[in-house]
């Protein structure tokens, strides 16, 4: 009888330990949508429908082509920041007025595959820093604990800037020491 209970307990423990080994490449945040509902961030609002002044001015419909009411977040952001959105729509590249800014930003060179390089470096950094067995059971996120050493202490930076005499008008006022 005891042998049967021990064997069952060992089998259950082995199954639990094996289930802890499974996981994804990015287990830190545990943000998978597992309830079968739509992803609310995947729904993009379209621009309002408008009746054109002249129907002949409409572009020829092409499968997979651009629609006039499709969202254009890059162009919208450029326009919101005071830029010329036609530059990005016409594919002319960088506007001549932005050339000096781009030259300054790229003065030390550009890594064309920076996203892949950073993703690989992040995978290397996170090796051995993923959630442990208990954290996987309860679905606890270890994201902030993993990257705590790389995070910025906002209050300490604010105080450092203030001590250096840098004006910080958008920062909250200093609280009195208690």
């Amino acid at each position: 009888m005891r042998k049967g209970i021990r064997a069952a307990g060992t089998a259950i423990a082995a199954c639990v330990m094996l289930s802890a080994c499974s996981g994804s490449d990015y287990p830190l945040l545990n943000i998978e949508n597992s309830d079968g509902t739509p992803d609310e961030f995947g729904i993009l609002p379209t621009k309002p429908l408008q009746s054109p002044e002249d129907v002949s001015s409409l572009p020829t419909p092409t499968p997979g082509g651009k629609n006039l009411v499709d969202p254009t977040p890059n162009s919208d952001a450029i326009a919101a920041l005071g830029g010329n959105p036609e530059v990005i729509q016409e594919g002319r590249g960088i506007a001549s007025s932005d050339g000096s800014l781009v030259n300054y930003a790229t003065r030390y060179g550009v890594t064309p595959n920076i996203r892949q390089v950073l993703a690989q470096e992040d995978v290397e950094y996170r090796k051995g820093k993923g959630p442990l067995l208990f954290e996987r059971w309860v679905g606890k996120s270890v994201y902030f604990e993993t990257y705590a050493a790389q995070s910025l202490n906002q209050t300490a930076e604010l105080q450092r800037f203030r001590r250096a005499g840098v004006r910080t008008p958008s920062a909250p006022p200093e609280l009195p020491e208690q």
Side-chain angles (χ1 to χ4, degrees):
M1 179 71 176
R2 282 187 174 222
K3 235 182 190 180
I5 293 174
R6 245 187 238 161
T10 303
I12 291 173
C15 288
V16 168
M17 288 175 23
L18 283 175
S19 69
C21 294
S22 68
S24 69
D25 291 338
Y26 304 101
L28 295 177
L29 280 179
N30 298 328
I31 57 173
E32 290 92 19
N33 183 3
S34 60
D35 57 0
T37 59
D39 180 13
E40 61 272 13
F41 295 108
I43 301 170
L44 294 174
T46 58
K47 296 178 181 175
L49 291 175
Q50 299 175 359
S51 181
E53 294 176 13
D54 183 17
V55 179
S56 62
S57 68
L58 292 174
T60 306
T62 55
K66 188 175 173 188
N67 191 336
L68 294 177
V69 295
D70 285 344
T72 53
N74 291 339
S75 298
D76 295 343
I78 289 171
L81 294 171
N84 184 1
E86 280 97 31
V87 172
I88 195 170
Q89 290 173 351
E90 295 173 11
R92 294 188 306 203
I94 300 166
S96 60
S97 60
D98 294 335
S100 59
L101 174 66
V102 172
N103 288 337
Y104 184 77
T106 60
R107 66 191 180 277
Y108 298 120
V110 176
T111 306
N113 60 341
I114 189 66
R115 291 180 189 263
Q116 292 82 9
V117 170
L118 290 177
Q120 182 60 36
E121 289 175 357
D122 187 52
V123 167
E124 293 298 320
Y125 176 76
R126 286 187 291 110
K127 279 188 178 171
K129 296 182 181 180
L132 301 174
L133 177 63
F134 180 73
E135 293 161 342
R136 286 186 185 169
W137 280 350
V138 297
K140 180 183 179 222
S141 172
V142 295
Y143 179 85
F144 295 105
E145 294 170 13
T146 301
Y147 292 103
Q150 297 179 5
S151 66
L152 178 70
N153 183 339
Q154 299 166 358
T155 307
E157 273 306 292
L158 177 63
Q159 296 305 321
R160 185 176 71 84
F161 274 100
R162 285 184 173 163
R163 281 192 302 273
V166 177
R167 294 181 58 198
T168 54
S170 63
E174 288 187 62
L175 297 175
E177 296 289 327
Q178 292 184 11

